Amino acid sequence: MKRIALIVAGGSGTRMGTEIPKQFLLVANKPILMHTIEAFYLSKVDTILVVLPSNQWEAWQQLCARHQFSIPHQIVPGGDARFSSVKNGLDLIDDNSLVAIHDGVRPFISAAIINQSFETALEKGNAIASVPLKDSIRKVELLSNKSVNRSSYYLIQTPQTFNSKQIKAAYEKAEHINFTDDAGVLEENGHAIHLMMGDYKNIKITTPEDLLIAEVFYQSIKANHLPPQ
Amino acid sequence: MKRIALIVAGGSGTRMGTEIPKQFLLVANKPILMHTIEAFYLSKVDTILVVLPSNQWEAWQQLCARHQFSIPHQIVPGGDARFSSVKNGLDLIDDNSLVAIHDGVRPFISAAIINQSFETALEKGNAIASVPLKDSIRKVELLSNKSVNRSSYYLIQTPQTFNSKQIKAAYEKAEHINFTDDAGVLEENGHAIHLMMGDYKNIKITTPEDLLIAEVFYQSIKANHLPPQ
């Protein structure tokens, strides 16, 4: 089946406290979104779709020119909310593909995890990158809170990779748009969800601290992947 | 009431993949544990107790000499597990104090949060630093997993500050030692737990990536606290 990356970059920069949309902020002198697209380009993917609000298209074109960014990708108009942005992308995909939906501001995803997610989704219908929770958590209720067993909880990342027919049908039938991720949309349509191991380094860059961390991770990853002398 | 810091530094370095216990690893050229002790020294605390495995005492003395570290603190022998380490510290504290139990490898705790935690514990009996969960989570069960409402979950940090009489009694009565934090011990003894806002920067340094992040946070915090020119 054809492998499609659907990279969702709808951010406006509000939480980051910047004028610049967070996907355009620089890590190692290059916009975060370019790092993310490169990660998929290095995997066995056939097509890269990038959802971007239409008022950012011109800035993106200028950035691509300035950074001589030439990886082929198709721009898709973003919607008002993440739900409609993803749906705009899914509308361009046929029923006989695998689609990896990925946050545009998770640039540190590895080709190995991307490829594994397509393979798992081919076999099981979907594959959701996730990592075990390392911290203690408590569940807050109306008037109290209680400890819960952290080993039962996984932090959900992207890519979330799906049989395109199943995820498209789920998005068509969804009765509200307040999902925190795409697995939730599929689950509501009655499908079992399959978790696979993600990576603690696969962070979502949403705050100024994250941007600092991203810079360090980039240097660390680069140091570990120097070409042989 | 007297304010006591009980800093727990029982780490062996296993997860960090180093020979050196993680609390002795350097951030900004200084052992992490010294940064943590300094944070409490800058708060309104009367006494600082530091729980440390006895086979690390000599190394710690040498580090203190090398770094000319002179903040007064009392060393307490660590136990086999975190539970017994904390209990060893609590045994030295009277029933009429407030005790802030804190991870030795959370060096970025602010004096403001420490002071707030003592004030809240004075009023309510306990104060547990925590932050809202930012990621989607799923709960894993025997054969399936399901989405849960992330806004109901808080990540638990330290300090966890208590009325000393209550937490000492809870540690005396606890029937097992497999708690992930001290709030869990108090809760099992029938007390309501009071959460207070922690800080996303108040990370627990447990992996090599955390150490890189710590270095960046330190530089960032330092840059924001330059003395006025």
Side-chain angles (χ1 to χ4, degrees), chain A residues 225-229:
Chain A
H225 289 82
L226 287 175
Q229 300 291 315

Side-chain angles (χ1 to χ4, degrees), chain B:
Chain B
M1 292 170 97
K2 214 179 150 194
R3 295 181 175 198
I4 297 169
L6 177 55
I7 298 172
V8 185
S12 63
T14 316
R15 266 201 286 181
M16 191 64 82
T18 60
E19 292 287 316
I20 303 173
K22 56 191 175 183
Q23 56 268 19
F24 293 169
L25 292 173
L26 304 183
V27 168
N29 300 316
K30 196 193 291 185
I32 292 168
L33 183 56
M34 290 184 191
H35 290 287
T36 308
I37 294 172
E38 279 178 0
F40 279 86
Y41 186 66
L42 292 173
S43 77
K44 299 177 197 157
V45 77
D46 297 297
T47 303
I48 298 174
L49 305 178
V50 177
V51 185
L52 201 64
S54 34
N55 64 3
Q56 295 177 18
W57 290 16
E58 196 181 328
W60 176 244
Q61 279 185 326
Q62 287 170 3
L63 285 170
C64 288
R66 190 182 312 157
H67 292 271
Q68 300 182 297
F69 187 75
S70 59
I71 295 176
H73 61 281
Q74 180 182 344
I75 300 292
V76 179
D80 293 338
R82 190 180 183 286
F83 184 92
S84 43
S85 290
V86 173
K87 199 161 181 299
N88 288 355
L90 292 176
D91 285 346
L92 301 179
I93 300 173
D94 66 35
D95 271 358
N96 205 17
S97 299
L98 296 169
V99 54
I101 305 177
H102 187 72
D103 297 322
V105 291
R106 288 194 194 260
F108 298 117
I109 186 65
S110 69
I113 291 175
I114 294 169
N115 290 335
Q116 181 63 52
S117 84
F118 279 114
E119 278 145 36
T120 303
L122 179 62
E123 187 191 337
K124 298 187 184 276
N126 63 79
I128 311 302
S130 61
V131 289
L133 194 61
K134 286 193 292 188
D135 304 278
S136 298
I137 58 172
R138 297 186 73 85
K139 186 173 182 190
V140 177
E141 289 160 354
L142 193 57
L143 294 170
S144 66
N145 63 81
K146 62 177 184 185
S147 65
V148 295
N149 181 2
R150 70 177 166 197
S151 65
S152 301
Y153 292 85
Y154 280 68
L155 291 174
I156 301 304
Q157 304 182 334
T158 68
Q160 303 194 351
T161 304
F162 304 93
N163 173 301
S164 63
K165 185 173 179 181
Q166 290 180 7
I167 190 70
K168 282 163 63 79
Y171 262 86
E172 284 301 328
K173 289 185 197 156
E175 290 184 352
H176 65 93
I177 66 164
N178 305 318
F179 296 93
T180 59
D181 68 353
D182 308 297
V185 181
L186 190 73
E187 177 179 40
E188 196 182 66
N189 204 27
H191 290 273
I193 299 301
H194 296 278
L195 302 183
M196 60 168 275
M197 191 63 188
D199 184 352
Y200 286 106
K201 275 204 179 122
N202 178 25
I203 60 168
K204 188 171 178 177
I205 302 176
T206 53
T207 67
E209 287 83 23
D210 295 338
L211 202 61
L212 296 173
I213 294 169
E215 199 69 46
V216 170
F217 277 8
Y218 180 83
Q219 299 304 336
S220 151
I221 289 166
K222 204 176 145 195
N224 289 328
H225 289 81
L226 287 175
Q229 299 291 313

Side-chain angles (χ1 to χ4, degrees), chain A residues 63-168:
Chain A
L63 285 169
C64 287
R66 189 182 312 160
H67 292 270
Q68 301 181 299
F69 187 74
S70 59
I71 295 177
H73 62 281
Q74 180 182 345
I75 300 292
V76 179
D80 293 338
R82 191 181 183 286
F83 183 91
S84 44
S85 290
V86 172
K87 199 161 181 298
N88 288 354
L90 292 176
D91 286 345
L92 301 178
I93 300 172
D94 67 34
D95 272 357
N96 205 17
S97 299
L98 296 170
V99 54
I101 305 176
H102 187 72
D103 296 322
V105 290
R106 288 195 195 261
F108 298 117
I109 186 65
S110 70
I113 291 177
I114 293 169
N115 291 335
Q116 181 63 52
S117 85
F118 279 113
E119 279 144 37
T120 303
L122 179 63
E123 186 190 338
K124 298 189 184 274
N126 63 79
I128 311 300
S130 62
V131 290
L133 194 60
K134 287 193 292 189
D135 304 277
S136 298
I137 57 173
R138 298 185 73 84
K139 186 173 181 190
V140 177
E141 289 160 354
L142 193 56
L143 294 170
S144 65
N145 63 81
K146 61 177 184 185
S147 65
V148 296
N149 181 1
R150 70 177 167 199
S151 66
S152 300
Y153 291 85
Y154 280 67
L155 291 173
I156 301 304
Q157 303 182 334
T158 69
Q160 304 194 351
T161 304
F162 304 93
N163 173 302
S164 62
K165 186 174 179 180
Q166 289 179 9
I167 190 70
K168 281 163 64 79

Side-chain angles (χ1 to χ4, degrees), chain A residues 15 43 47 58 65 76 103 107 116 138-139 175 181 192 197 214:
Chain A
R15 267 200 286 179
S43 78
T47 302
E58 196 180 327
V76 179
D103 296 322
Q116 181 63 52
R138 298 185 73 84
K139 186 173 181 190
E175 290 184 352
D181 68 352
M197 191 63 188

